[in-house]
Amino acid sequence: MTNGPVVIRAAGGIVVRDGRVLVVHRQRYDDWSLPKGKLDEGESWEDAAVREVAEETGLRCTIDAEAGTTRYVDDRGREKEVRWFRMTSADEPAAQNEIEEVRWVPLGAEADAKLLIGDAALKSAFEDPTPHHDLGRLWLERTGLPMVFAVWACPEPITSGLTELEDALVKSVRLARAEPERLAHEAAERYGYPAGFLARYFEKLRYRFGPRERAGLMTFLELARDVGELDEVPELRFVREAVPA
């Protein structure tokens, strides 16, 4: 029997007050985020969230409700699950431990621009008259290369079932390509947008990762290194030759 990959469990708090949300600045990562951290052994999600907020901000909070879950792979290749809880506190926050600064940020504050992906980008493109800029098109105009928005990656060592998962993904893409009208109409029923609009959107998507796509990704990584977002350009290693989608 083969054990699956270990999932790192963490919990965090969305502390709100007077239309503001509390964010923390982590010196180690030089970023702003919501307070969160890993569960201790035997600790509940709720207790971990309250403890982490206290350790990072000094606040003694009360949980109002669970706010949702995020799942992602961290920079060490580990799968991570974070549960979030909406909280309130009458105390005043102060940076603690590895936190350099805490700040209240207005909810729904105006910004010069927004970066939208996925369903939010579709909704905005169809409903919002504000000028939009397609990052893929801007990247192509600047570099002459396609923009790679996502890759299917996995940590090492390779876990069992990966090949089967890849085959299922490729099968799904092939089915969508074979029945584009069905895909557009089913998506229209789910999201409420015209089927023609969605069909044009889906037709632009590409799932291949050929030489031009690899060059585009490497160019992006090199630029990220040059501006200090990456320490070095990572090596691309492949499990096996790609299956054409």
Side-chain angles (χ1 to χ4, degrees):
M1 182 176 178
T2 303
N3 294 326
V6 175
V7 178
I8 306 300
R9 302 196 305 164
I14 304 173
V15 186
V16 294
R17 179 187 298 174
D18 300 328
R20 301 172 297 166
V21 63
L22 186 66
V23 296
V24 299
H25 186 265
R26 302 180 299 174
Q27 186 175 16
R28 176 183 177 186
Y29 300 100
D30 191 25
D31 68 354
W32 289 93
S33 65
L34 298 170
K36 71 176 188 302
K38 292 185 290 186
L39 273 66
D40 289 337
E41 185 175 355
E43 191 175 30
S44 70
W45 297 95
E46 292 84 354
D47 288 345
V50 171
R51 174 183 57 76
E52 286 291 340
V53 171
E55 290 180 356
E56 295 188 4
T57 70
L59 291 180
R60 295 170 296 174
C61 289
T62 300
I63 292 178
D64 292 338
E66 186 166 355
T69 302
T70 55
R71 297 178 179 86
Y72 59 94
V73 176
D74 67 14
D75 57 4
R76 295 170 59 184
R78 304 173 302 176
E79 185 177 350
K80 198 165 187 178
E81 178 180 353
V82 185
R83 289 192 184 180
W84 299 97
F85 297 87
R86 181 184 174 94
M87 303 178 179
T88 55
S89 174
D91 301 332
E92 288 302 319
Q96 308 284 324
N97 299 311
E98 75 275 13
I99 299 304
E100 185 178 36
E101 183 182 351
V102 297
R103 182 181 300 176
W104 291 105
V105 178
L107 290 169
E110 291 294 327
D112 293 333
K114 293 181 180 179
L115 178 62
L116 302 174
I117 61 174
D119 293 348
L122 273 179
K123 180 179 177 64
S124 180
F126 187 71
E127 299 179 356
D128 188 350
T130 303
H132 288 68
H133 300 280
D134 187 323
L135 291 182
R137 182 177 301 168
L138 293 175
W139 175 261
L140 179 64
E141 292 173 355
R142 173 173 177 173
T143 67
L145 295 167
M147 165 62 79
V148 177
F149 287 94
V151 296
W152 194 51
C154 63
E156 294 179 319
I158 304 303
T159 59
S160 62
L162 184 65
T163 300
E164 291 80 2
L165 184 59
E166 180 190 9
D167 291 340
L169 176 64
V170 171
K171 181 179 179 181
S172 175
V173 172
R174 287 174 174 167
L175 179 61
R177 291 298 191 206
E179 303 183 43
E181 293 183 0
R182 175 185 172 187
L183 175 64
H185 283 285
E186 290 186 357
E189 292 179 1
R190 174 177 296 183
Y191 297 107
Y193 304 131
F197 169 79
L198 292 172
R200 291 190 296 274
Y201 171 77
F202 292 143
E203 195 278 330
K204 297 177 182 178
L205 299 180
R206 297 291 182 269
Y207 296 91
R208 59 177 176 264
F209 193 54
R212 280 176 49 76
E213 287 75 21
R214 296 185 192 185
L217 177 59
M218 293 306 296
T219 299
F220 181 88
L221 295 174
E222 289 167 357
L223 290 173
R225 177 202 57 198
D226 293 345
V227 298
E229 292 297 327
L230 290 176
D231 293 332
E232 60 183 16
V233 175
E235 176 190 1
L236 299 184
R237 297 191 298 275
F238 298 89
V239 177
R240 63 186 176 93
E241 285 301 316
V243 177

